[in-house]
Amino acid sequence: MHLHFISPFDPIEFRSSSIASFRLRLSYLNEAAKQCGYSITSDLSINYSADIFYISKITRDKQKEITNIIQKIKKTNKQILVDYTDDILEGNYDEERKEVYEELMKINSVFIVPVDGLATKLAERGKKTFVISDGIDNIPNIEPFNKNNKVINVLWNGHSSNIDSLLRVISKDLVNYNFNLHIVSNSASFQILRETNLETIPKCKLIGHIWSIKKLQEVAKICNFAILPSDKIWASANRLATNFRLGLPVIAENISSYKPYSDYYCAFEQGAISDIFKSQEKWFELVREAQTRIKKDFSSERLVNSWKGLLKDSIKKIF
């Protein structure tokens, strides 16, 4: 069998990619395909010998190329799988990429999504789906410890597509708190921050760091806790899991994928927020419990087996 990724990256680069869907999704599929004895190729072109085409996350700079590929790929009568992690079809913030995904909705394809809620929404439109959760970054668990900072250091890490939720909470829920906010993100986030004028100016000091796994671990070691707001109700739990593995108590919003871990984090409620600013120690045991559960829920073996299940399901449809 032959799996061809419609992707700008070589499969050996997936695990080190700064794009989460490549790092935390396609890398596991690549490993599953290798273990199943597949021939694996990757390119932004059609490989007509492939049995299965897997269309990776469509980034803004590649959408025109993907649109051209779709016109060719739908004529091949091959199995077409689409990685779909953001609810672009329901939003109005990215009309061009929305059009590309609408084209993929029209053809005989299966959308691979990270959460059940997103699968349900797509199923309501008649689209076949397969649910596989995101993986997590390959970092060791850090034991929670007191930082003894004179000023509270708070971590936020994420892609620029999540920056609006951060701006929302620092100008509302956290507007009156004095703290250093360490932002570990891509360069586009810092451009947005420079260009944004908030109606209510927060008291926190912003400190920026360009994202890398190494930098994230370095910054986490000086932070008292992490914040994890989200405007994406169908986002996966990978960032929550990562913050726990970094040994940090977390203030998070109650989106669907976080709910199984809601016993371990603090919600964005004023009483709880005030408490965690005053003392983080009482959250340490909950962080440890979360780390233990995450090790099981996000084990590489479990995730690779999920992707193997997708491949087996795809083979049945081919034959």
Side-chain angles (χ1 to χ4, degrees):
M1 295 296 291
H2 182 179
L3 169 66
H4 181 67
F5 289 99
I6 303 297
S7 162
F9 301 112
D10 187 289
I12 64 173
E13 300 175 306
F14 289 165
R15 194 60 178 163
S16 59
S17 174
S18 62
I19 302 174
S21 61
F22 288 92
R23 193 173 71 253
L24 307 181
R25 296 181 65 75
L26 270 63
S27 68
Y28 288 94
L29 172 55
N30 182 54
E31 179 60 29
K34 285 196 296 185
Q35 291 185 18
C36 291
Y38 275 62
S39 172
I40 303 168
T41 52
S42 180
D43 200 354
L44 281 176
S45 63
I46 301 291
N47 187 320
Y48 288 97
S49 67
D51 301 290
I52 301 171
F53 291 108
Y54 195 96
I55 299 177
S56 65
K57 183 171 185 173
I58 300 168
T59 55
R60 290 183 178 89
D61 59 326
K62 302 298 181 183
Q63 60 196 33
K64 290 184 179 179
E65 292 173 80
I66 297 294
T67 299
N68 293 332
I69 289 170
I70 292 170
Q71 300 311 311
K72 298 175 183 177
I73 206 172
K74 66 183 181 182
K75 300 175 183 178
T76 65
N77 200 33
K78 300 292 181 72
Q79 179 74 341
I80 302 169
L81 308 176
V82 181
D83 204 57
Y84 186 70
T85 58
D86 296 322
D87 198 11
I88 292 174
L89 289 165
E90 289 297 313
N92 297 313
Y93 59 90
D94 199 336
E95 292 295 335
E96 292 183 348
R97 281 201 295 167
K98 183 176 181 178
E99 290 178 8
V100 179
Y101 283 109
E102 287 289 3
E103 284 298 310
L104 289 167
M105 288 286 287
K106 296 174 186 176
I107 66 176
N108 185 22
S109 61
V110 180
F111 275 46
I112 317 304
V113 300
V115 293
D116 291 328
L118 199 49
T120 300
K121 290 189 70 174
L122 292 171
E124 290 171 352
R125 293 186 56 180
K127 176 52 62 178
K128 300 174 185 176
T129 62
F130 201 99
V131 180
I132 302 179
S133 65
D134 285 1
I136 53 178
D137 287 310
N138 187 24
I139 57 175
N141 284 338
I142 297 174
E143 174 69 17
F145 65 96
N146 290 315
K147 305 301 170 28
N148 297 317
N149 296 319
K150 291 182 179 180
V151 178
I152 292 289
N153 285 326
V154 177
L155 173 69
W156 180 87
N157 64 288
H159 188 263
S160 55
S161 61
N162 298 297
I163 200 72
D164 284 347
S165 63
L166 176 64
L167 290 169
R168 170 172 53 80
V169 296
I170 65 172
S171 61
K172 292 183 180 179
D173 300 276
L174 305 178
V175 68
N176 291 318
Y177 290 91
N178 289 299
F179 61 98
N180 294 325
L181 176 59
H182 292 266
I183 300 171
V184 184
S185 188
N186 58 318
S187 58
S189 286
F190 304 115
Q191 183 66 28
I192 294 169
L193 289 169
R194 283 191 293 267
E195 296 174 354
T196 300
N197 293 314
L198 297 173
E199 289 185 11
T200 307
I201 306 300
K203 294 181 179 179
C204 63
K205 177 183 178 181
L206 306 187
I207 303 171
H209 311 268
I210 293 296
W211 184 93
S212 72
I213 293 294
K214 182 179 179 181
K215 178 57 67 175
L216 181 60
Q217 293 175 88
E218 289 176 359
V219 175
K221 289 178 180 178
I222 65 169
C223 287
N224 299 78
F225 61 88
I227 56 172
L228 198 53
S230 180
D231 292 330
K232 299 178 180 179
I233 61 172
W234 306 122
S236 70
N238 67 78
R239 285 198 298 150
L240 179 64
T242 294
N243 282 310
F244 281 136
R245 297 185 81 199
L246 292 168
L248 298 177
V250 180
I251 307 176
E253 286 183 304
N254 290 314
I255 63 173
S256 64
S257 65
Y258 294 178
K259 287 181 180 178
Y261 306 96
S262 60
D263 288 342
Y264 311 119
Y265 65 80
C266 165
F268 277 95
E269 299 169 355
Q270 279 306 316
I273 293 171
S274 177
D275 286 345
I276 203 169
F277 265 91
K278 291 175 182 175
S279 175
Q280 299 84 51
E281 291 85 349
K282 64 182 180 181
W283 291 90
F284 287 175
E285 185 56 36
L286 291 173
V287 171
R288 295 185 189 99
E289 291 176 14
Q291 290 177 339
T292 299
R293 178 169 177 177
I294 287 163
K295 183 178 181 179
K296 178 183 176 181
D297 290 353
F298 292 88
S299 73
S300 292
E301 181 180 5
R302 182 173 183 172
L303 289 162
V304 169
N305 284 339
S306 294
W307 288 102
K308 285 181 179 178
L310 169 66
L311 294 174
K312 291 176 182 177
D313 186 71
S314 299
I315 292 171
K316 290 178 184 177
K317 290 179 171 62
I318 293 171
F319 295 104

